[in-house]
Amino acid sequence: MDTKTALTWVTIVAAGLFLRAAISLHSYSGENRPPMYGDFEAQRHWQEVTVNLPVSDWYRNTTDNDLLYWGLDYPPLTAYHSYLVGLWARRWHNESYVALHESRGISTDQHKQFMRNTVLLLDVLLYLPAILYATYTIRKRLTDDRSEVAEWVSLTLAVLFPGQILIDNGHFQYNNASLGLCALAVVALVERRTLAGAVLFCLALNYKQMELYHALPFFFYLLRDCFTGSDKSATVLERLTNGVCRLAVLGVTVLATFLVLWLPWLSSLEAVGQLVHRIFPVARGVFEDKVSNVWCVVNVFVKLRNFPNTTMALVCLLCTLLAVLPSGLHLLLQKSPTIRSFLYSLAVTALGFFLFSFQVHEKSILLVALPVTLLLPLEPLAACWFLQIATFSMLPLLHKDGLTVPFVGLSLISLALLRTAQGVQSSIKKRNQSLDLLHLRGLLPESVANNVTGSVLVTLFYLSLLGQMLLLVAFLCLPAPGHLPFLYPLAISAYSCGHFVLFYMYFNYRQFCSGEGTVANKQPTKISHKNKVK
């Protein structure tokens, strides 16, 4: 990396950390709201449990571990992280932060600062380097655009995505850990380091089980890759044998990673069963609050809570599989697997899970936002549009946490950044620029930006933004009718869901219909092999 590029990265990271630190000064989930206090207390309580109780009791209901009070319900890597943070709190800060039973609901300024700093530390050590490296690598490997302005825009928008900042540094969670690991896993596949990619994704999955949203594209891509990397001059039997060997090595690597992480519970089937039960709690219902997915909209007309949870779980499973399998099978069966198809499949599959799966939270849209963020170098306008509506879909949750002002501020900053596309749209007619306040045409290919398609896309973006603004004003300023107290949160969810359905169809189209063999599909290993043949 040259000095200029390094300076750009440092500047972007500094801006990202400044905004994250500023957001962390605001309120958080459950602040001063007994008896449960919210996600902030959940994360703190897990630290309390893990540093005070034996590993065997972390997921079990005991006299010292009441699972009804924020029982640990994430996989082992989250528990290990909670343990390390708890040790840090007890040994180098204040033992009262994690005192067994006595620390519930602690809300001192010193403790808040400590907890906020643990999120910022993960941002610095993992998430920001991962998202920068992933976006930069994808742009370099999969596009032929060498514009410095375009690079600066995509990297900055990736780092300053408001949704992730508002949830992790505002609402309070550690999504940056699993998302950062997943981003690094994607980079490993881009660089043809499949075993490293498999290990990294296993780590992400063992931090948050919601990483299952990304699991099928990884599975299908790695499976196909095992049988397509052989020398083309080899016989069918030799290629099959080599593929089986590679698949065996991949399987052993995945199993070994899981075994190491789950080792403390493997001595007992009961312990493993309890851990799995905690990770996948079917009893909670099909969705919580007003999440922007299909079931929340359907619930307006058919009350889904009247159906047994097991029935709804099966319905959700079937609908989710129907939504995501075409993308996965295309990735498996296409003539030659490409990273571009893999990235689109990640977005399609995550969206399919968000729209149709069981027990979806508003914050789960961040799992869709990650692959879309990585598509910024390939689909700048579509990615920016999606990230904007993804943040907007969480408005009711953010408002409940007292984060409305930060939401508006970060959204305005992201929209203002789009104007930097001016530097890559020199050939666009001035009459179009005067009607394009955010210079969105600069995010489109020149062949599209100057024709009717470009005008339609830009107009639709502004209409979408206008709809968000009207709903925001209504949500904040107009009282809901007495018989419809949740009118505005439901309207926001339905409006966002409509966008997500359209994006689901668009990303499917892009995966299935994008041409292969272009510069956008370059893979370094395969290209070097072809050069050797020549």
Side-chain angles (χ1 to χ4, degrees), residues 257-277:
T257 305
F258 270 82
L259 285 174
V260 170
L261 294 173
W262 286 58
L263 190 60
W265 297 273
L266 294 181
S267 59
S268 165
L269 286 177
E270 185 272 336
V272 173
Q274 177 63 16
L275 198 161
V276 173
H277 173 71

Side-chain angles (χ1 to χ4, degrees), residues 194-235:
T194 53
L195 292 182
V199 171
L200 287 165
F201 183 70
C202 287
L203 293 177
L205 185 58
N206 276 280
Y207 193 92
K208 283 200 172 183
Q209 63 270 37
M210 286 80 77
E211 280 295 330
L212 284 170
Y213 280 36
H214 302 139
L216 285 178
F218 273 93
F219 172 76
F220 284 122
Y221 185 85
L222 289 172
L223 178 62
R224 177 61 186 265
D225 186 72
C226 286
F227 293 93
T228 56
S230 302
D231 186 356
K232 300 301 181 182
S233 62
T235 65

Side-chain angles (χ1 to χ4, degrees), residues 123-235:
D123 285 328
V124 173
L125 297 181
L126 178 57
Y127 180 75
L128 292 181
I131 204 70
L132 272 174
Y133 181 44
T135 307
Y136 175 82
T137 302
I138 288 169
R139 184 175 177 278
K140 291 297 184 183
R141 297 294 190 189
L142 306 183
T143 75
D144 57 354
D145 183 1
R146 295 297 176 259
S147 166
E148 293 183 1
V149 174
E151 178 180 318
W152 183 87
V153 170
S154 60
L155 293 177
T156 305
L157 289 172
V159 168
L160 301 187
F161 167 48
Q164 186 271 331
I165 298 175
L166 289 166
I167 293 299
D168 281 7
N169 303 95
H171 173 87
F172 196 89
Q173 281 195 333
Y174 295 103
N175 295 290
N176 50 5
S178 57
L179 295 178
L181 289 168
C182 185
L184 290 176
V186 172
V187 173
L189 295 195
V190 172
E191 299 286 1
R192 305 291 296 166
R193 299 171 183 171
T194 53
L195 292 182
V199 171
L200 287 165
F201 183 70
C202 287
L203 293 177
L205 185 58
N206 276 280
Y207 193 92
K208 283 200 172 183
Q209 63 270 37
M210 286 80 77
E211 280 295 330
L212 284 170
Y213 280 36
H214 302 139
L216 285 178
F218 273 93
F219 172 76
F220 284 122
Y221 185 85
L222 289 172
L223 178 62
R224 177 61 186 265
D225 186 72
C226 286
F227 293 93
T228 56
S230 302
D231 186 356
K232 300 301 181 182
S233 62
T235 65

Side-chain angles (χ1 to χ4, degrees), residues 13 16 84 110 196 237:
V13 169
L84 292 175
Q110 293 79 10
L237 180 61

Side-chain angles (χ1 to χ4, degrees), residues 217-431:
F218 273 93
F219 172 76
F220 284 122
Y221 185 85
L222 289 172
L223 178 62
R224 177 61 186 265
D225 186 72
C226 286
F227 293 93
T228 56
S230 302
D231 186 356
K232 300 301 181 182
S233 62
T235 65
V236 174
L237 180 61
E238 289 174 336
R239 279 183 282 175
L240 180 61
T241 303
N242 291 336
V244 170
C245 291
R246 278 195 291 270
L247 182 60
V249 172
L250 179 64
V252 169
T253 301
V254 170
L255 286 175
T257 305
F258 270 82
L259 285 174
V260 170
L261 294 173
W262 286 58
L263 190 60
W265 297 273
L266 294 181
S267 59
S268 165
L269 286 177
E270 185 272 336
V272 173
Q274 177 63 16
L275 198 161
V276 173
H277 173 71
R278 292 298 303 164
I279 292 175
F280 300 105
V282 177
R284 289 186 179 180
V286 64
F287 62 86
E288 294 186 11
D289 295 326
K290 298 297 182 287
V291 63
S292 301
N293 75 348
V294 169
W295 303 122
C296 187
V297 176
V298 170
N299 190 66
V300 175
F301 308 100
V302 180
K303 297 304 176 185
L304 300 179
R305 297 189 186 277
N306 294 333
F307 295 90
N309 281 338
T310 51
T311 300
M312 284 308 305
L314 291 174
V315 171
C316 291
L317 176 62
L318 177 61
C319 292
T320 303
L321 289 176
L322 290 174
V324 304
L325 278 181
S327 173
L329 292 176
H330 173 264
L331 198 61
L332 177 66
L333 302 175
Q334 65 182 145
K335 185 177 180 180
S336 58
T338 65
I339 286 294
R340 169 177 279 240
S341 294
F342 171 67
L343 292 175
Y344 282 119
S345 185
L346 280 175
V348 168
T349 306
L351 253 179
F353 269 89
F354 181 83
L355 289 171
F356 298 104
S357 63
F358 191 84
Q359 244 305 297
V360 176
H361 296 260
E362 309 98 309
K363 296 160 288 188
S364 298
I365 196 61
L366 296 182
L367 293 158
V368 189
L370 175 67
V372 176
T373 299
L374 300 183
L375 284 171
L376 272 168
L378 307 177
E379 298 272 359
L381 180 61
C384 289
W385 193 347
F386 181 90
L387 296 179
Q388 174 66 30
I389 198 70
T391 305
F392 177 74
S393 72
M394 297 185 287
L395 175 59
L397 172 67
L398 298 172
H399 180 72
K400 183 168 63 177
D401 293 336
L403 296 170
T404 306
V405 172
F407 159 78
V408 173
L410 287 179
S411 297
L412 291 175
I413 290 174
S414 294
L415 291 172
L417 282 171
L418 298 183
R419 289 182 61 88
T420 57
Q422 170 91 27
V424 292
Q425 60 172 5
S426 57
S427 63
I428 297 175
K429 297 179 181 179
K430 294 198 178 268
R431 62 180 178 84

